[in-house]
């Protein structure tokens, strides 16, 4: 599976920890940056990751900013993106099962890197329960 990841300057360290986890677990990773501590704007990265997730099949996105809020808002502007900001593994599990989230948003100033890795692991290992929740996600996609 392919994972597109993008972050602003607050998320470089967390991104690097997640990329290491992903590579160790044989995921294909597309890193859209930033890899620098110089300030960049979270809307640019959220939009770029969202667009790439929609372009390519079987792809999930991960976006990181200070809170995860701004970059999730940006990703959700892309038609077809369902980005979920998760600070606990239970949110990642339910975002996949109930909402068929295709982008995971994380706050680098809010949670520890190890927690972020557990959240990523949960997100990537949970399937959408289409039988129970498909009709609501279909409705969401028409908005
Ligand atoms: C950048 O300082 C900060 O505003 C950004 O990372 C994010 O938290 C926005 O939602």
């Amino acid at each position: 599976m392919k994972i597109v990841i993008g972050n602003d300057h607050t998320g470089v360290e967390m991104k690097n920890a997640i990329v290491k986890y992903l590579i160790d677990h044989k995921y294909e990773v597309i890193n859209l940056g930033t890899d620098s501590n110089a300030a960049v704007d979270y809307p640019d990265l959220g939009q770029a990751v969202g667009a790439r997730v929609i372009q390519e099949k079987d792809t999930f996105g991960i976006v990181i900013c200070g809170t995860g809020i701004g970059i999730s808002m940006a990703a959700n502007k892309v038609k077809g993106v369902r980005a979920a900001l998760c600070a606990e593994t239970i949110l990642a599990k339910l975002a996949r099962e109930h909402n068929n989230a295709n982008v995971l948003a994380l706050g680098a100033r809010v949670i520890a890197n190890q927690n972020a890795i557990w959240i990523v692991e949960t997100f990537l290992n949970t399937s959408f329960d289409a039988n129970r929740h498909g009709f609501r996600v279909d409705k969401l996609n028409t908005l």
Side-chain angles (χ1 to χ4, degrees), residues 8-11 40 42 64-71 109:
D8 75 1
H9 51 289
T10 68
V40 292
Y42 61 81
I64 309 164
C65 70
T67 58
I69 295 171
I71 204 158
R109 289 174 170 159

Side-chain angles (χ1 to χ4, degrees), residues 107-136:
R109 289 174 170 159
V110 181
I111 60 170
N113 290 349
Q114 182 57 61
N115 194 19
I117 289 168
W118 287 326
I119 291 168
V120 167
E121 183 174 56
T122 303
F123 189 87
L124 296 178
N125 288 292
T126 307
S127 300
F128 177 43
D129 185 350
N131 287 335
R132 286 184 61 199
H133 300 287
F135 68 100
R136 295 194 182 101

Side-chain angles (χ1 to χ4, degrees), residues 3-80:
I3 311 297
V4 185
I5 192 162
N7 55 281
D8 75 1
H9 51 289
T10 68
V12 176
E13 205 183 297
M14 178 176 282
K15 190 262 300 290
N16 290 339
I18 291 170
V19 167
K20 182 181 180 323
Y21 167 87
L22 293 172
I23 288 171
D24 286 350
H25 289 79
K26 313 288 179 222
Y27 289 95
E28 185 183 339
V29 179
I30 300 167
N31 174 19
L32 300 185
T34 182
D35 293 308
S36 151
N37 293 326
V40 292
D41 299 331
Y42 61 81
D44 299 332
L45 282 310
Q47 193 278 335
V49 171
R52 193 74 181 256
V53 166
I54 296 309
Q55 274 163 23
E56 296 188 36
K57 274 197 154 207
D58 299 324
T59 302
F60 282 125
I62 299 175
V63 291
I64 309 164
C65 70
T67 58
I69 295 171
I71 204 158
S72 64
M73 288 177 170
N76 274 320
K77 291 280 184 185
V78 178
K79 180 92 182 142

